[in-house]
């Protein structure tokens, strides 16, 4: 999920395209950004922070875009907006 957030942040692909790749190419039911939205972006961010604090491995550094969404109150499905917009559904 964190790596997918970095791909989105770097504008290498859209959120929809990233999730579609995982569904079509890897047979996943949900893409990583959809999964993060389902779990809750705040929960994903806190989990990454615990991993980073525990292991001091840069691969667990939370993507700044993810942190920005959480601080803006866009926590995923539970708030209607995260990496995807759920308010229209």
């Amino acid at each position: 999920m964190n790596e997918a957030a970095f791909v989105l942040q770097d504008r290498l692909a859209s959120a929809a395209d990233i999730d579609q790749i995982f569904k079509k190419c890897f047979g996943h039911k949900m893409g990583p950004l959809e999964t993060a939205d389902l779990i809750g972006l705040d929960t994903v961010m806190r989990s990454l922070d615990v991993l980073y604090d525990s292991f001091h491995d840069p691969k667990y550094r939370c993507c700044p875009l993810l942190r920005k969404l959480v601080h803006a109150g866009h926590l995923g499905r539970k708030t209607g907006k995260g990496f995807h917009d759920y308010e229209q559904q």
Side-chain angles (χ1 to χ4, degrees), residues 1 3 14 60 72:
M1 290 178 273
E3 290 296 326
S14 69
Y60 298 121

Side-chain angles (χ1 to χ4, degrees), residues 34-52:
E34 291 171 307
T35 303
D37 280 348
L38 180 64
I39 293 169
L41 301 187
D42 53 332
T43 302
V44 174
M45 183 186 78
R46 283 194 302 267
S47 298
L48 287 164
D49 289 343
V50 167
L51 288 168
Y52 183 78

